[in-house]
Amino acid sequence: ERANQSALEKTWSDLPRAVRKLPQSIVTYARAAMACKDHPSAERALRELIDDTSDAAAIRLYGELVLPDPLVPLERAEGWLRKRPDDPDRLSTCARLCLRAELFGKARSYLEASLARKPNAESSLLLAELLEQMGEHEVASGWLRQAAGQAVGRRLNVPRVRLRRL
C-alpha cells in the first residue's frame, strides 16, 4: 500500500496542472487514494472540489470515505446539504456517512428522502440492508424488490399466482 501510495502521488504530481484541476481527474485521484487506504488525502481532494464546484461524482464518492472520526465528514456533508436540501446525491452521501457513524435512524431518514427524489437500485439496496438489520424484514423486502426492479430497469409483468387447493 505504501509503495502504491507513493506511486500515486508521483503520478499525480507529474500530471500537467490543467489536468489536475479537472473534476474527473480529482475524483479519479481520490478513488485511487482510497484504494491505497489514504482516505485523508482523498477527503481533502474531494472536499476542495465540492467546495469549488459541487461536483456530483465527488459528492457521491465522499460518502464512501472511512476516516477515524466519522462525524467530521458527516458534519461537512450536512453543511453541503443545507445549501441544497433536496439534492438526492447529498442526501445519499449523508446517509452513508451516518451509517459509518452508527446513526442508523438518521441514515434511514436520509436514504428515504434521497429515494423519494431519485429512486436508484444502490440506495434502495442500502436501505433494505439497513432495515433488515433493524429487524424490519417486511419493509426491507419491499425495498429489496424495488432495488431489483431498478437494476433490471423495469417492472416485470408476472401473472398473478393462484394457489390451488388439493
Side-chain angles (χ1 to χ4, degrees), residues 27 31 34 46 50 55-65 87-90 92-94 96-97 118 120 122:
V27 169
R31 195 176 305 284
M34 290 165 73
L46 291 171
I50 294 165
D55 183 80
I59 289 168
R60 287 190 299 273
L61 186 57
Y62 198 85
E64 297 178 30
L65 289 167
D87 183 289
D89 291 327
R90 291 171 195 235
S92 179
T93 289
C94 287
R96 289 175 178 279
L97 294 169
K118 181 176 143 190
N120 66 79
E122 189 173 321

Side-chain angles (χ1 to χ4, degrees), residues 61-96:
L61 186 57
Y62 198 85
E64 297 178 30
L65 289 167
V66 179
L67 296 170
D69 182 355
L71 295 176
V72 171
L74 174 58
E75 288 170 7
R76 211 164 257 133
E78 287 178 329
W80 296 323
L81 180 61
R82 280 190 287 281
K83 293 177 184 172
R84 290 199 192 141
D86 289 333
D87 183 289
D89 291 327
R90 291 171 195 235
L91 287 161
S92 179
T93 289
C94 287
R96 289 175 178 279

Side-chain angles (χ1 to χ4, degrees), residues 101-128:
E102 299 182 11
L103 301 170
F104 303 120
K106 198 172 189 181
R108 177 183 183 167
S109 295
Y110 281 139
L111 280 170
E112 289 171 343
S114 175
L115 285 162
R117 286 153 182 81
K118 181 176 143 190
N120 66 79
E122 189 173 321
S123 292
S124 294
L125 184 57
L126 195 58
L127 181 56

Side-chain angles (χ1 to χ4, degrees), residues 4-163:
N4 289 343
Q5 190 175 353
S6 297
L8 172 62
E9 293 305 326
K10 178 170 181 358
T11 302
W12 182 248
S13 65
D14 287 348
L15 288 174
R17 185 171 172 81
V19 173
R20 282 182 292 167
K21 289 197 167 285
L22 295 171
Q24 61 266 40
S25 296
I26 297 168
V27 169
T28 301
Y29 164 79
R31 195 176 305 284
M34 290 165 73
C36 294
K37 307 283 189 248
D38 185 6
H39 287 251
S41 292
E43 190 279 336
R44 190 169 35 260
L46 291 171
R47 174 174 22 99
E48 290 171 2
L49 176 59
I50 294 165
D51 284 343
D52 291 345
T53 68
S54 294
D55 183 80
I59 289 168
R60 287 190 299 273
L61 186 57
Y62 198 85
E64 297 178 30
L65 289 167
V66 179
L67 296 170
D69 182 355
L71 295 176
V72 171
L74 174 58
E75 288 170 7
R76 211 164 257 133
E78 287 178 329
W80 296 323
L81 180 61
R82 280 190 287 281
K83 293 177 184 172
R84 290 199 192 141
D86 289 333
D87 183 289
D89 291 327
R90 291 171 195 235
L91 287 161
S92 179
T93 289
C94 287
R96 289 175 178 279
L97 294 169
C98 282
L99 288 172
R100 197 136 359 265
E102 299 182 11
L103 301 170
F104 303 120
K106 198 172 189 181
R108 177 183 183 167
S109 295
Y110 281 139
L111 280 170
E112 289 171 343
S114 175
L115 285 162
R117 286 153 182 81
K118 181 176 143 190
N120 66 79
E122 189 173 321
S123 292
S124 294
L125 184 57
L126 195 58
L127 181 56
E129 290 286 331
L130 173 60
L131 293 169
E132 186 69 32
Q133 290 179 35
M134 294 172 77
E136 295 186 37
H137 307 292
E138 292 285 322
V139 182
S141 178
W143 282 106
L144 194 55
R145 278 192 303 281
Q146 188 166 331
Q150 290 161 337
V152 170
R154 61 189 165 86
R155 186 175 173 98
L156 300 177
N157 208 354
V158 178
R160 202 77 182 134
V161 176
R162 293 182 203 156
L163 299 177

